[in-house]
Amino acid sequence: MKTPQEVLEHLEQLEKAGTVQSALYREEAQEVLADDSISLKWRRAIADRLNRANHDLGLHTVTGDDSY
């Protein structure tokens, strides 16, 4: 598993990553969020960044009656 710092850095690069790489970065983030041994500070930072990225993705890809 990647370190929390690496995961956060990957999430900062989501806009530049391709579809597959972006999905892998999101999966990394989910693994860290599910790991209780990771400090709350790191999990909160990763969750906040992931939420922002998901919101941005929804704004750029969802149209009309689509859902994200």
Side-chain angles (χ1 to χ4, degrees), residues 1-49:
M1 182 189 319
K2 303 284 184 191
T3 67
Q5 183 174 355
E6 289 173 312
V7 171
L8 191 58
E9 289 170 3
H10 287 165
L11 291 176
E12 294 295 334
Q13 300 172 16
L14 282 177
E15 294 81 21
K16 299 174 191 168
T19 304
V20 172
Q21 191 63 51
S22 176
L24 291 173
Y25 288 164
R26 283 176 160 75
E27 186 175 326
E28 287 176 356
Q30 292 297 329
E31 289 174 5
V32 169
L33 293 175
D35 187 344
D36 289 340
S37 71
I38 305 291
S39 75
L40 181 59
K41 176 184 171 184
W42 277 113
R43 288 186 290 140
R44 185 172 287 150
I46 289 167
D48 289 345
R49 178 62 187 112

